[in-house]
């Protein structure tokens, strides 16, 4: 199941059950539901208005979507990232509607010692930075976590 979720764009339990059956594993919906919860999978939206399962330690979302023919899209469609603003030890990250929770989860999973935690809404993430993190350090950190480029609003 883990390999299927990591390597394919699986968007529903029914689709996952079908793929598992093709591999010779017949499972019930209750078993799938329990296993997906145990694996701490997350369903994230794609730019096409669909959803796919991802695993907590997975950074292959971009690869999955590109393999589905999304290469011509902007480089930020996977994360839904729009802008970043930093004020003191608070960062405010704007995303497309519905993308904040997945992106906040990715930021939290980076386990960066400079970030104390995130609070996602529907289209906004508040990230609290350690008090001793400078603005330059924060920008460098977020350059590794977010698809920043000159088109984005950075303050």
């Amino acid at each position: 199941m883990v390999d299927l979720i990591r390597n394919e764009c699986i968007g529903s339990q029914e689709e996952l059950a079908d793929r598992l059956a093709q591999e010779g594993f017949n499972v019930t919906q209750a078993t799938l539901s329990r296993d997906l919860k145990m694996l701490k999978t997350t369903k994230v939206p794609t730019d096409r208005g669909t959803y796919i399962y991802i695993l907590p330690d997975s950074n292959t979302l971009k690869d999955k979507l590109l393999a589905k023919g999304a290469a011509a899209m902007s480089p930020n469609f996977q994360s839904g990232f729009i802008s970043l603003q930093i004020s003191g030890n608070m960062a405010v990250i704007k995303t497309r509607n519905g993308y904040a929770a997945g992106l906040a989860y990715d930021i939290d999973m980076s386990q960066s010692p400079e970030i104390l935690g995130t609070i996602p809404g529907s289209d906004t993430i508040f990230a609290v930075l350690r008090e001793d993190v400078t603005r330059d350090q924060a920008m460098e950190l977020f350059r590794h976590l977010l698809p920043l480029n000159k088109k984005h609003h950075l303050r």
Side-chain angles (χ1 to χ4, degrees):
M1 180 182 325
V2 170
D3 286 339
L4 290 174
I5 293 170
R6 276 201 178 116
N7 299 318
E8 298 183 24
C9 293
I10 305 289
S12 70
Q13 289 184 11
E14 181 180 348
E15 186 178 347
L16 182 56
D18 290 345
R19 283 295 292 121
L20 286 168
Q22 290 173 8
E23 300 291 324
F25 302 100
N26 292 316
V27 296
T28 66
Q29 185 276 330
T31 298
L32 278 180
S33 184
R34 183 189 67 236
D35 290 351
L36 289 168
K37 186 175 182 177
M38 182 193 70
L39 291 170
K40 298 181 181 174
T41 60
T42 304
K43 269 184 127 171
V44 297
T46 69
D47 202 47
R48 294 183 177 91
T50 61
Y51 288 83
I52 61 172
Y53 286 108
I54 62 169
L55 296 164
D57 62 347
S58 175
N59 287 324
T60 60
L61 176 59
K62 179 178 180 180
D63 296 334
K64 282 184 187 181
L65 294 173
L66 290 175
K68 283 284 200 178
M73 305 261 181
S74 82
N76 302 317
F77 79 96
Q78 297 92 346
S79 66
F81 172 75
I82 294 174
S83 68
L84 167 68
Q85 295 184 23
I86 298 173
S87 178
N89 72 327
M90 178 72 71
V92 178
I93 302 161
K94 291 293 201 173
T95 70
R96 293 180 52 216
N97 190 32
Y99 283 71
L103 187 53
Y105 182 81
D106 290 344
I107 292 168
D108 289 339
M109 291 307 293
S110 76
Q111 298 181 343
S112 172
E114 292 87 1
I115 300 175
L116 299 178
T118 62
I119 302 171
S122 179
D123 64 357
T124 304
I125 302 166
F126 292 106
V128 179
L129 305 169
R130 272 194 353 246
E131 287 186 40
D132 61 340
V133 174
T134 67
R135 180 172 169 35
D136 289 340
Q137 289 171 322
M139 289 305 297
E140 183 61 27
L141 169 68
F142 284 115
R143 277 190 183 87
H144 295 287
L145 299 173
L146 301 172
L148 299 177
N149 64 39
K150 292 180 181 166
K151 292 190 320 186
H152 293 109
H153 303 293
L154 305 176
R155 296 181 195 160

